[in-house]
């Protein structure tokens, strides 16, 4: 005997959510999107045209697809037909992959996603899943959706543009000497011609060609005709040189310089991407590949905020990332925790003096300075004796190194550092000169002391040696590093799937929120299982008690 099997017969219940477990991640996706304020969706509504799919439905469908490691628009479209969870979220609508991809690229989607992160963090704080005491910041580089060999380098562009300027300058001087062109450059302008000036040369040559053709049409003498034809050929040759060579190249270099901004490279297929050195180098040759620097802030392994940067180094990304976190969430926890890649005087000063928060960030030589070898080295300035009243140091040869002057230096980003310069009185016959300094024989040993940087280093050591703040810092490795592992290993997100900084930011935002929802789903499963076990144990205890105490 077999159970009845008739697939063409209508059966009850028809509600698909009856077949889904209460702890399934699909309900976490549904609850999160439903919690977004309605006014945000009303702002996206268009009064004209065909009614669009509701943004709630689109966001739910894409978010759930990302939790299932599905990132392609075509595969999401297929999942809508194949998965009853997706059909339940989409209310049985069949959405085209083009509609899915268009929705993922819109700026309004980025706004909805940002609001989703704010709501998610607020719910975590309300339910005491996170303590909101600190945020743990780290970054990783992810490859862009761009061709690997589509690079444009600033140095190469500048070199070729300089060569072009030299050739165009020679070309202009030749035409000016032949009295074909008037003076187009101002006095003192020695560099090459601009694209506007080249365009003016082309217009002048076209006018000369037109005038020559008019003269040729009214000329009867053979000798003058030959002269005018030769003149026209020369003008056309010069015009082709400008229009086919100089002007297109100059416009291209102008466009490149505009795209560069403060960067040193970009990709032709994704101009927002910068060439960076990736850790997971599958080519095994150390080549630079186009990518973005992803920065995230986490607590309890939940991603609370994220941002993308074109700068490959982490040091210059911390302050703008904290600004974006503050703008999005309207508040910052008391402790900002990050590794030594973020340790700089500028970052310490910004967090401490402007944000009024506590940085728990090591600096480059922190662990080296804790070694006995470093502390016992007599040639390191930090180990020299300092006489405060005389404002001088005592070098290893027991000679005074006195204060000479103040110095101020500015880095590429515009940050100013103040130094005090100390110089030894006489190093000529010092027995340890070769070990103490690399200066030439005629110069004395000079040292630069940055008291502001020393203060922040001392504060950093004090905070990390403290039991409370030291415990918070030691949580960094288990707070933020596993998130990148889950993103790349469990979710298989190794490369962006959308081009442009906006598209890449939406893409990785969906992936990070998918990680949060997967983690929340596992948390709900464990909670339900624990509750079920507790109820089972209570039932067994009640039965035992009822047996023994009848």
């Amino acid at each position: 005997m077999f159970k009845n099997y008739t697939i063409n017969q209508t059966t009850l219940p028809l509600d698909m959510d009856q077949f889904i477990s209460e702890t399934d991640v699909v309900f976490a996706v549904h609850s999160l999107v439903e919690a977004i304020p309605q006014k945000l969706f009303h702002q996206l509504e268009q009064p004209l045209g065909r009614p669009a799919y509701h943004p709630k439905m689109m966001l739910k469908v894409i978010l759930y697809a990302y939790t299932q490691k599905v990132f392609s628009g075509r595969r999401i479209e297929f999942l809508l037909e194949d998965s009853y969870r997706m059909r339940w979220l989409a209310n049985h609508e069949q959405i085209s992959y083009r509609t899915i991809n268009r929705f993922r690229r819109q700026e309004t989607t980025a706004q909805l996603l940002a609001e989703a992160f704010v709501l998610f963090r607020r719910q975590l704080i309300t339910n005491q899943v996170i303590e909101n005491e600190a945020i743990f910041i780290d970054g990783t580089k992810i490859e862009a959706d761009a061709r690997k060999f589509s690079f444009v380098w600033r140095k190469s562009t500048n070199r070729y543009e300089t060569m072009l300027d030299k050739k165009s300058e020679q070309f202009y001087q030749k035409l000016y000497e032949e009295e074909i062109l008037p003076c187009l450059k101002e006095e003192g302008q020695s560099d090459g011609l601009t694209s506007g000036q080249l365009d003016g040369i082309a217009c002048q040559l076209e006018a000369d060609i037109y005038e020559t053709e008019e003269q040729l049409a009214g000329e009867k003498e053979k000798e003058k005709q030959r002269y005018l034809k030769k003149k026209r050929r020369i003008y056309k040759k010069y015009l082709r040189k400008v229009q086919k060579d100089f002007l297109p190249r100059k416009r291209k270099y102008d466009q490149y310089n505009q795209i560069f901004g403060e960067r040193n490279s970009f990709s032709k297929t994704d101009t927002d991407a910068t060439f960076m050195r990736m850790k997971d180098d599958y080519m095994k040759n150390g080549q630079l590949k186009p990518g973005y620097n992803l920065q995230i802030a986490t607590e309890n392994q939940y991603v609370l905020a994220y941002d993308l940067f074109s700068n490959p180094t982490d040091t210059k990304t911390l302050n703008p990332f904290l600004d974006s976190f503050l703008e999005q969430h309207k508040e910052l926890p008391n402790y900002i925790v990050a590794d030594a890649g973020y340790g700089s005087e500028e970052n310490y000063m910004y967090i401490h003096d402007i944000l009024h928060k506590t940085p728990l960030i090591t600096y480059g030589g922190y662990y080296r300075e804790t070694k006995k070898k470093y502390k016992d080295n007599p040639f390191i300035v930090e180990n020299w004796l300092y006489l405060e009243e005389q404002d001088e140091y005592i070098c290893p040869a027991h000679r005074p190194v006195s204060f000479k002057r103040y110095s101020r230096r500015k880095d590429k980003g515009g940050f100013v550092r103040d130094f005090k310069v100390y110089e030894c009185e006489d190093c000529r016959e010092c027995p340890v000169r070769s070990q103490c300094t690399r200066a030439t024989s005629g110069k004395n040993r000079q040292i630069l002391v940055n008291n502001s940087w020393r203060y922040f280093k001392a504060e950093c050591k004090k905070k990390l040696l403290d039991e409370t703040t030291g415990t918070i810092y030691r949580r960094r490795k288990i707070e933020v590093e596993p998130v990148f592992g889950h993103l790349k290993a469990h979710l298989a997100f190794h490369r962006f799937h959308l081009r442009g900084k906006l598209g890449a930011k939406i893409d990785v935002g969906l992936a990070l929120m998918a990680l949060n929802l997967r983690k929340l789903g596992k948390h709900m499963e464990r909670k339900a299982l624990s509750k079920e076990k507790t109820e089972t144990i209570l039932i067994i205890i009640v039965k035992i008690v009822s047996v023994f105490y009848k």
Side-chain angles (χ1 to χ4, degrees):
M1 181 181 294
F2 297 102
K3 291 184 178 180
N4 184 32
Y5 176 69
T6 307
I7 60 176
N8 294 326
Q9 183 177 350
T10 303
T11 58
L12 295 175
L14 296 177
D15 295 334
M16 286 190 172
D17 57 343
Q18 300 295 324
F19 300 101
I20 306 174
S21 171
E22 293 180 356
T23 59
D24 197 285
V25 69
V26 71
F27 290 113
V29 173
H30 172 71
S31 301
L32 175 68
V33 178
E34 288 292 333
I36 298 176
Q38 292 292 331
K39 61 180 181 180
L40 291 179
F41 297 106
H42 293 325
Q43 294 175 1
L44 307 178
E45 191 173 358
Q46 298 293 334
L48 301 176
R50 182 182 176 184
Y53 293 117
H54 202 288
K56 276 186 180 180
M57 181 190 73
M58 297 295 297
L59 191 57
K60 289 178 186 178
V61 164
I62 296 174
L63 259 179
Y64 181 75
Y66 271 67
T67 63
Q68 304 305 304
K69 309 178 189 179
V70 177
F71 311 115
S72 166
R74 291 181 184 271
R75 291 187 61 195
I76 294 175
E77 181 185 4
F78 173 76
L79 203 63
L80 279 165
E81 300 175 359
D82 188 64
S83 170
Y84 61 86
R85 290 177 175 85
M86 289 282 280
R87 298 179 83 174
W88 176 70
L89 288 174
N91 197 22
H92 302 280
E93 294 281 359
Q94 291 300 318
I95 309 169
S96 168
Y97 72 92
R98 292 188 179 89
T99 305
I100 293 169
N101 290 337
R102 277 198 300 269
F103 181 80
R104 284 197 294 180
R105 295 177 181 275
Q106 293 177 0
E107 189 173 353
T108 53
T109 306
Q111 297 174 5
L112 292 174
L113 203 54
E115 186 64 25
F117 272 94
V118 173
L119 290 170
F120 189 81
R121 176 174 177 267
R122 195 178 302 161
Q123 289 298 321
L124 292 178
I125 296 173
T126 303
N127 296 322
Q128 298 182 348
V129 179
I130 61 175
E131 299 175 358
N132 196 28
E133 182 183 22
I135 54 172
F136 301 85
I137 298 173
D138 204 355
T140 187
K141 301 177 186 67
I142 300 180
E143 190 175 347
D145 182 24
R147 290 178 56 208
K148 301 175 185 61
F149 302 106
S150 59
F151 41 75
V152 179
W153 305 103
R154 181 188 287 274
K155 287 185 178 180
S156 299
T157 301
N158 292 340
R159 184 172 72 252
Y160 290 129
E161 188 176 13
T162 303
M163 293 168 59
L164 176 64
D165 289 342
K166 186 176 180 181
K167 290 181 180 179
S168 64
E169 177 68 22
Q170 294 174 354
F171 178 76
Y172 165 73
Q173 292 296 337
K174 180 180 178 181
L175 296 184
Y176 180 69
E177 291 172 1
E178 294 178 3
E179 297 183 354
I180 298 174
L181 292 177
C183 182
L184 298 176
K185 301 177 67 175
E186 298 178 359
E187 293 185 7
Q189 184 180 351
S190 58
D191 52 352
L193 300 174
T194 64
S195 56
Q197 290 172 337
L198 288 170
D199 203 7
I201 292 175
C203 293
Q204 181 66 38
L205 288 172
E206 287 177 349
D208 291 342
I209 291 171
Y210 180 75
E211 183 181 354
T212 305
E213 287 178 346
E214 283 188 341
Q215 293 176 4
L216 185 61
E219 186 61 49
K220 301 299 182 182
E221 296 183 13
K222 297 292 184 180
E223 193 67 28
K224 289 188 177 180
Q225 286 181 354
R226 282 195 295 269
Y227 170 75
L228 291 172
K229 287 180 180 179
K230 182 180 178 181
K231 186 177 179 181
R232 183 178 62 180
R233 283 196 302 270
I234 294 174
Y235 286 166
K236 286 185 176 181
K237 177 184 174 182
Y238 290 157
L239 182 61
R240 283 195 301 270
K241 189 70 174 175
V242 175
Q243 291 183 336
K244 302 296 183 182
D245 186 14
F246 292 157
L247 190 56
R249 287 171 59 192
K250 188 63 178 178
R251 286 174 176 170
K252 180 178 71 172
Y253 296 145
D254 289 344
Q255 183 184 8
Y256 284 178
N257 288 323
Q258 187 177 3
I259 294 174
F260 277 127
E262 298 180 356
R263 299 179 293 164
N264 292 323
S265 64
F266 69 87
S267 171
K268 291 180 182 178
T269 50
D270 185 355
T271 55
D272 292 335
T274 307
F275 278 79
M276 307 176 182
R277 199 172 300 280
M278 307 290 177
K279 288 183 179 178
D280 46 346
D281 182 16
Y282 53 84
M283 300 178 75
K284 305 300 181 184
N285 56 5
Q287 285 190 350
L288 303 176
K289 288 178 278 294
Y292 295 94
N293 189 355
L294 170 64
Q295 298 289 316
I296 62 171
T298 67
E299 187 178 357
N300 198 15
Q301 297 184 10
Y302 287 101
V303 181
L304 308 179
Y306 73 100
D307 205 351
L308 287 182
F309 295 91
S310 299
N311 187 2
T313 58
D314 292 334
T315 309
K316 295 294 183 181
T317 62
L318 180 62
N319 295 346
F321 179 59
L322 291 176
D323 288 340
S324 65
F325 187 100
L326 189 60
E327 181 182 359
Q328 185 176 354
H329 295 280
K330 310 303 179 187
E331 63 174 353
L332 271 172
N334 189 35
Y335 297 107
I336 311 298
V337 187
D339 61 14
Y342 300 87
S344 69
E345 182 185 352
E346 181 179 5
N347 291 343
Y348 287 137
M349 188 177 295
Y350 186 79
I351 295 172
H352 188 271
D353 297 343
I354 298 179
L355 299 180
H356 304 292
K357 302 297 179 182
T358 304
L360 297 181
I361 305 172
T362 56
Y363 50 90
Y366 173 77
Y367 292 104
R368 180 170 55 89
E369 292 178 6
T370 60
K371 303 295 182 181
K372 185 176 184 298
K373 181 180 178 180
Y374 181 91
K375 295 179 179 179
D376 294 341
N377 191 343
F379 301 102
I380 296 176
V381 178
E382 281 73 10
N383 298 330
W384 290 6
L385 176 65
Y386 176 67
L387 304 179
E388 187 174 357
E389 293 183 1
Q390 292 83 359
D391 192 14
E392 64 183 21
Y393 288 87
I394 304 299
C395 75
H398 306 289
R399 299 182 179 183
V401 183
S402 305
F403 169 74
K404 292 297 180 183
R405 57 188 172 83
Y406 290 99
S407 176
R408 173 167 289 186
R409 297 183 179 182
K410 182 184 292 187
D411 60 14
K412 293 181 180 179
F415 182 72
V416 178
R417 292 177 174 84
D418 293 318
F419 295 91
K420 295 181 72 174
V421 182
Y422 294 81
E423 184 177 343
C424 186
E425 294 182 353
D426 189 9
C427 293
R428 285 176 295 181
E429 297 180 359
C430 180
V432 293
R433 177 185 174 85
S434 60
Q435 297 174 273
C436 184
T437 180
R438 295 181 181 178
T440 57
S441 58
K443 294 184 178 180
N444 298 324
R445 170 74 187 272
Q446 282 189 350
I447 60 174
L448 298 177
V449 178
N450 186 344
N451 289 323
S452 175
W453 176 233
R454 284 192 168 189
Y455 167 77
F456 286 120
K457 286 170 67 175
E459 284 293 309
C460 172
K461 291 178 182 178
K462 180 180 176 182
K463 291 287 191 302
L464 296 182
L465 291 175
D466 183 75
E467 183 178 357
T468 304
T469 53
T471 303
I472 294 174
Y473 178 78
R474 286 190 291 273
R475 287 169 49 196
R476 186 193 65 81
K477 291 183 179 180
I478 61 172
E479 284 284 352
V480 67
E481 296 292 350
V483 175
F484 292 133
H486 294 322
L487 178 68
K488 296 180 179 180
H490 292 175
L491 207 62
F493 192 94
H494 302 285
R495 186 179 181 183
F496 291 105
H497 308 90
L498 300 176
R499 293 185 177 180
K501 189 174 182 180
L502 178 62
K505 188 173 181 179
I506 294 172
D507 189 30
V508 75
L510 291 167
L512 293 174
M513 182 53 72
L515 278 182
N516 287 341
L517 295 173
R518 282 164 63 102
K519 181 176 175 61
L520 188 62
K522 294 288 180 64
H523 175 72
M524 292 168 60
E525 287 182 10
R526 288 194 299 269
K527 194 173 180 180
L529 184 61
S530 175
K531 182 179 180 181
E532 184 179 344
K533 286 182 178 179
T534 304
E535 291 176 351
T536 305
I537 292 172
L538 289 174
I539 292 171
I540 293 172
I541 292 174
V542 169
K543 287 183 178 179
I544 293 173
V545 170
S546 64
V547 169
F548 283 96
Y549 295 96
K550 277 187 177 180

